[in-house]
Amino acid sequence: MKLFRIGKTLVITLLAVICFAPTAWGFCGFYVAKADTKLYNKASQVVIARDRDRTILTMANDYQGDVKDFALVVPVPTVLQKEQVHVGDPKIIERLDAFSAPRLVEYFDEDPCNPVMYERLAAPAAAPASGAARASRDEDNSLGVTVEARFNVGEYDIVILSAKESNGLETWLNRNGYKIPQGAKQLLQPYIRQNMKFFVAKVNLKEFQNSGSQFLRPLQMAYESPKFMLPIRLGMINATTEQDLIVYVLSPKGQAEVTNYRTVKVPSDAEIPVFVKNEFSDFYKSMFQTSYTREDKKVAFLEYAWDMGSCDPCSAEPLNREELRKAGVFWLDSGSHESAPFRRSIAPSNDVFITRLHVRYTRDKFPEDLVFQETSNNQNFQGRYVLRHPFTGDVKCQAGQQYKKSLTRRFEQEAQTLAKLTGWNIQDIRKKMPVAQSNSRPWWQNIFP
Amino acid sequence: MLLKDVRDYQILFLSLFLFLGIWTRDWTLRPDLILVVMITCLVTQSLAVSIKQNLFNLLPVQDNCPNEIDSGLTNVLAKLSLRSALITALGLSLLLRADSYSTMILAGSFAIISKFIFNFRNKHFFNPANFGIIAALILTKDAWVSPGQWGDEWWYALLFAGTGGTILKRVGRWDTTAAFLGSYAFLEAIRNIWLGWTWDVFLHRLMSGSLLLFALFMITDPRSIPNARIGRLVWAVSIGCLTFLLRNQFFVSTAVFWALFALAPLTIFLDFIWTAPRFSWGENPSPTFSNLVINKSEEIESETYLQA
């Protein structure tokens, strides 16, 4: 439902993406509207599959306005030809999102009077909980703008531009029906000076209608460049608030991180009250905001890092090979990787490590575009929050009494953890918590039964 | 005893950074890897020193060796140059990340051995920690450097500048830091103006904790850099220029380390052109015959300054 997202850029020369999105989560460059549709960036999603200098970048469009108003300008490091641009499958982004989303895990306490069972519980018997989902050529020349390529891909009309100066580029875009946000000119210049090209897309209404689709599909581009970055500055032009960007980096090596800002793990593995199950999205939003504020709003958060071959607990099945290919993973097809069918059963998609980074940014805290690097860090990480349901049956044994007594302390601890993570009022939290039916008998009853 | 040597301050400061990093920077620092690299550096240093001394003893006449019952801890430290090894280990712990013990062992041992192998006229020219980092990056598949993890907060900048300044003042090598940072900042400023970025981009780049740590604690190792001030200035400016080039033209996020590595051998050449007395950690750099033995070990010891 939200508006829109876009995405990123990478490798050799530089990759810059500009997108504008109107609402909910995300990142990016800017969307250029043709009408006065209010467009704000809220949440963009970008998938970067990268191996050495090769990159396949997928920008997910969750555009909510009238498609005829949709337009996108993204700085890219190289001139892209038709063969390098592709329309992706929107489901893949959803799959990646679901697979890597921060998750709740539920555990159920066993009967404390049945120690065998109780011990068995210590082994991870996790029930997977739902994850949060989360002009003419001459004229062009006089403007210093060169149309390097022009083609259609799916429902999109795409133009690849190179420009000599930002005034000319702005004029060209305006003449061709793109409405540039104010202030974009100054921001376009650095990309021009860095010799970047501009990927400009709008929707071909006829094709779009023919496709029968209701939504715009993601755009994918493949290129080779040492630049591994995402130009977020453009996306801040018409943003009025903080913007969210979710970046999924798929790498054959290991975790990806940001090199010019700190990369910090989101708080994880906390035991929180059971009632959060019904308000997980509120919890996560509050928790993220609290962490973001605590880190002075200038870090990138690591939400998930995992080998794509497995998950534990899974909030969604790992992507299969075909899905990975659709997500841009290009290195699995080389013969050597395919020759391990036996491994597949254990780890169907080894050689793909996913890193999910969540960046919430504003102009004052993120002056520079994001620069990434892959590392060899293979440690797994997930944003994971634990619910432990207390045992509710009757307990009659001594251990059971101890257990019941311990619940009061445990609930309080959970309440405090929740308050600390989210900044919620501890009193409100306590009100929602179950009263630990303090089965504790008056002290004298031990003597006078 | 303690804190008598500038390197003691250095060890203190680098340890402080390491603790700060672990507590406040949320790193994926692994205590076991830190331990491994420490042990590796200390053991390698001890072995290398004894091998070197044995070799040395074989050549000249090994007659008088009476005064060796200095069993004090300080003497052991000094003889084996363990301070230097410790500084190298701390530097590696602060900057290098790895997934396995073997990588850390390789980094630590290469760092120390480089002092003994890449040695010209009894002066090593690679910064040991830097050498270890580059060796791990080139020779292994699981090493990396996280240049963004120090962030760009002003109080870190102040902390680094304050502690680094304390040491540089005592060692007299602030010129190197100034020349490196000055030239690099100048080039970044020009680029910033040319591109049309706002100045906060420039500041963000220069406030990087990793860059400052490098400029104040690594590039200033008085033992491996040129002896004459003019030589140091030329050397530091070259590193600043190469860093700028690698970062902005070739998009190398760890540009500073590669620049220092590539230009380290230049020290020999610069020392040849501009001669000056060599830096020595001891107070009496002019060896008399009687303290020759002691001086030798001192020499070895001093070879590592900031191996950060």
Side-chain angles (χ1 to χ4, degrees):
Chain A
M1 297 276 16
K2 317 350 339 233
L3 298 172
F4 197 174
R5 332 163 159 213
I6 284 188
K8 25 196 99 183
T9 323
L10 324 178
V11 195
I12 279 193
T13 306
L14 169 35
L15 183 132
V17 180
I18 304 179
C19 57
F20 288 30
T23 16
W25 295 52
F27 138 89
C28 320
F30 66 90
Y31 282 48
V32 185
K34 279 176 136 183
D36 282 332
T37 314
K38 277 195 179 172
L39 299 176
Y40 302 97
N41 255 344
K42 266 317 210 163
S44 311
Q45 294 188 79
V46 178
V47 185
I48 308 177
R50 183 178 163 99
D51 183 17
R52 279 161 292 194
D53 280 357
R54 296 179 179 175
T55 299
I56 293 186
L57 170 71
T58 308
M59 298 179 296
N61 301 328
D62 190 10
Y63 183 70
Q64 225 197 6
D66 190 331
V67 291
K68 76 179 171 40
D69 294 336
F70 171 84
L72 169 69
V73 177
V74 180
V76 289
T78 59
V79 171
L80 298 169
Q81 300 300 336
K82 180 169 185 172
E83 297 71 32
Q84 291 169 266
V85 182
H86 185 73
V87 175
D89 180 351
K91 290 210 177 80
I92 294 301
I93 313 259
E94 288 169 24
R95 290 277 288 119
L96 285 170
D97 182 18
F99 176 70
S100 61
R103 65 214 57 200
L104 272 178
V105 190
E106 275 181 307
Y107 292 88
F108 291 85
D109 287 355
E110 293 289 337
D111 185 343
C113 297
N114 186 340
V116 179
M117 293 292 289
Y118 193 61
E119 272 169 29
R120 224 188 57 188
L121 179 77
S130 64
R134 325 200 216 209
S136 81
R137 184 156 277 294
D138 286 346
E139 265 184 87
D140 295 346
N141 285 340
S142 69
L143 293 170
V145 175
T146 309
V147 177
E148 302 279 0
R150 190 193 287 272
F151 49 86
N152 307 324
V153 175
E155 64 267 37
Y156 297 99
D157 286 341
I158 289 161
V159 185
I160 308 291
L161 301 174
S162 65
K164 291 205 174 89
E165 45 99 14
S166 51
N167 282 334
L169 180 59
E170 183 185 35
T171 308
W172 189 96
L173 288 168
N174 280 331
R175 278 190 196 163
N176 286 275
Y178 297 91
K179 190 179 165 199
I180 296 275
Q182 252 193 330
K185 197 169 69 181
Q186 284 80 0
L187 285 184
L188 290 172
Q189 181 185 305
Y191 298 109
I192 296 174
R193 288 269 164 92
Q194 290 176 83
N195 205 21
M196 292 184 67
K197 313 301 174 195
F198 294 88
F199 178 99
V200 180
K202 58 183 174 181
V203 174
N204 181 317
L205 289 173
K206 209 185 250 174
E207 291 291 334
F208 182 68
Q209 276 152 11
N210 288 346
S211 75
S213 168
Q214 296 232 289
F215 304 99
L216 290 172
R217 295 175 292 168
L219 273 165
Q220 286 190 302
M221 48 189 88
Y223 51 83
E224 223 173 300
S225 166
K227 289 186 182 178
F228 190 4
M229 53 87 72
L230 278 182
I232 55 173
R233 277 175 69 101
L234 277 171
M236 299 190 221
I237 303 179
N238 54 354
T240 54
T241 58
E242 293 155 349
Q243 298 174 76
D244 286 281
L245 166 66
I246 308 284
V247 185
Y248 309 94
V249 182
L250 303 174
S251 155
K253 280 173 74 182
Q255 279 188 28
E257 65 183 21
V258 179
T259 64
N260 54 347
Y261 297 93
R262 290 174 56 215
T263 306
V264 171
K265 290 172 179 164
V266 289
S268 180
D269 278 337
E271 277 192 26
I272 51 177
V274 174
F275 75 82
V276 172
K277 186 175 182 180
N278 299 321
E279 40 194 279
F280 183 56
S281 56
D282 285 343
F283 158 77
Y284 193 76
K285 275 193 251 176
S286 298
M287 192 210 68
F288 190 87
Q289 181 66 32
T290 306
S291 307
Y292 168 71
T293 310
R294 191 177 294 146
E295 296 290 352
D296 197 25
K297 307 188 174 187
K298 54 206 290 188
V299 304
F301 285 96
L302 178 70
E303 287 186 325
Y304 193 73
W306 215 270
D307 186 301
M308 278 297 248
S310 64
C311 50
D312 178 29
C314 299
S315 60
E317 278 303 298
L319 277 68
N320 61 35
R321 234 158 229 248
E322 178 59 18
E323 288 173 319
L324 285 172
R325 198 185 57 75
K326 285 184 179 171
V329 174
F330 52 86
W331 54 87
L332 291 181
D333 292 337
S334 55
S336 63
H337 293 288
E338 294 213 288
S339 61
F342 57 91
R343 210 171 67 181
R344 190 170 168 157
S345 59
I346 307 162
S349 56
N350 242 338
D351 300 325
V352 182
F353 198 95
I354 182 174
T355 305
R356 173 186 173 125
L357 295 167
H358 184 168
V359 185
R360 178 169 290 174
Y361 61 94
T362 53
R363 178 64 187 80
D364 59 330
K365 297 290 186 180
F366 279 83
E368 246 191 306
D369 287 334
L370 300 174
V371 183
F372 303 92
Q373 73 173 5
E374 309 157 88
T375 73
S376 316
N377 187 354
N378 279 304
Q379 285 176 21
N380 291 332
F381 172 78
Q382 58 182 335
R384 173 176 179 273
Y385 309 92
V386 181
L387 307 182
R388 271 179 66 198
H389 294 267
F391 179 72
T392 48
D394 280 344
V395 290
K396 298 203 172 83
C397 63
Q398 182 69 22
Q401 296 301 332
Q402 290 295 334
Y403 168 81
K404 288 282 184 191
K405 274 187 205 162
S406 72
L407 285 181
T408 313
R409 218 172 120 204
R410 179 170 120 194
F411 289 163
E412 176 58 20
Q413 185 61 50
E414 289 174 354
Q416 288 184 13
T417 304
L418 183 61
K420 191 171 154 224
L421 286 176
T422 57
W424 289 348
N425 186 315
I426 185 98
Q427 299 301 347
D428 295 344
I429 294 172
R430 286 188 183 125
K431 275 183 213 155
K432 292 185 178 180
M433 306 266 306
V435 183
Q437 322 96 321
S438 136
N439 231 12
S440 57
R441 303 184 302 169
W443 60 271
W444 61 83
Q445 283 193 11
N446 288 332
I447 301 257
F448 310 129
Chain B
M1 289 206 29
L2 208 59
L3 299 185
K4 180 188 76 177
D5 194 305
V6 186
R7 284 164 300 175
D8 292 336
Y9 284 97
Q10 195 156 4
I11 291 169
L12 189 71
F13 293 155
L14 294 175
S15 308
L16 169 73
F17 299 161
L18 200 54
F19 281 115
L20 267 180
I22 293 171
W23 297 135
T24 73
R25 303 282 81 172
D26 187 28
W27 286 354
T28 42
L29 282 173
R30 286 170 47 186
D32 53 334
L33 288 181
I34 293 175
L35 193 67
V36 164
V37 82
M38 298 253 173
I39 293 172
T40 305
C41 287
L42 294 174
V43 169
T44 312
Q45 177 77 26
S46 309
L47 286 176
V49 169
S50 20
I51 291 173
K52 188 171 173 180
Q53 279 177 341
N54 285 338
L55 283 178
F56 181 81
N57 288 340
L58 286 180
L59 303 176
V61 208
Q62 328 129 293
D63 35 24
N64 54 346
C65 44
N67 62 340
E68 350 207 286
I69 320 204
D70 31 79
S71 54
L73 176 67
T74 4
N75 280 330
V76 175
L77 276 176
K79 279 209 161 179
L80 293 178
S81 200
L82 294 184
R83 283 195 183 97
S84 295
L86 198 53
I87 293 176
T88 300
L90 283 167
L92 285 169
S93 302
L94 279 168
L95 296 166
L96 186 65
R97 298 281 167 278
D99 230 7
S100 68
Y101 292 153
S102 57
T103 298
M104 275 304 190
I105 291 172
L106 181 141
S109 53
F110 272 58
I112 301 295
I113 291 171
S114 76
K115 292 193 292 181
F116 297 88
I117 294 184
F118 300 101
N119 200 302
F120 184 74
R121 291 191 184 161
N122 214 16
K123 172 177 180 175
H124 64 272
F125 48 88
F126 280 112
N127 177 294
N130 187 60
F131 190 91
I133 289 171
I134 298 293
L137 290 180
I138 294 178
L139 301 174
T140 71
K141 288 192 166 170
D142 69 334
W144 74 98
V145 172
S146 291
Q149 290 308 76
W150 281 105
D152 59 339
E153 280 164 61
W154 62 268
W155 70 270
Y156 262 98
L158 281 182
L159 176 70
F160 291 156
T163 50
T166 304
I167 289 173
L168 292 183
K169 192 178 157 208
R170 285 169 170 255
V171 172
R173 291 297 183 266
W174 60 270
D175 47 12
T176 315
T177 298
F180 167 74
L181 279 182
S183 57
Y184 180 69
F186 176 75
L187 291 170
E188 284 286 357
I190 300 289
R191 178 173 181 269
N192 212 66
I193 293 171
W194 180 70
L195 287 178
W197 285 134
T198 42
W199 287 101
D200 50 354
V201 175
F202 171 75
L203 282 178
H204 179 254
R205 290 195 148 211
L206 288 188
M207 289 278 285
S208 157
S210 300
L211 180 74
L212 295 175
L213 196 61
F214 173 87
L216 288 156
F217 287 91
M218 183 177 271
I219 203 183
T220 53
D221 171 2
R223 292 287 301 180
S224 64
I225 67 181
N227 296 325
R229 170 163 291 182
I230 176 78
R232 291 198 296 272
L233 295 181
V234 169
W235 186 76
V237 169
S238 310
I239 294 175
C241 295
L242 185 57
T243 300
F244 175 81
L245 191 72
L246 289 176
R247 179 160 181 193
N248 295 303
Q249 204 57 41
F250 297 95
F251 314 104
V252 180
S253 57
T254 49
V256 279
F257 303 107
W258 292 97
L260 174 59
F261 179 76
L263 293 177
L266 198 59
T267 299
I268 301 172
F269 181 65
L270 293 172
D271 273 345
F272 183 72
I273 302 181
W274 292 291
T275 51
R278 278 182 59 202
F279 180 85
S280 169
W281 296 106
E283 298 117 311
N284 52 343
S286 56
T288 62
F289 187 74
S290 64
N291 66 4
L292 186 60
V293 175
I294 291 178
N295 243 343
K296 242 167 206 102
S297 50
E298 183 129 44
E299 198 104 48
I300 295 161
E301 156 179 22
S302 11
E303 312 201 287
T304 347
Y305 165 64
L306 162 183
Q307 351 259 6

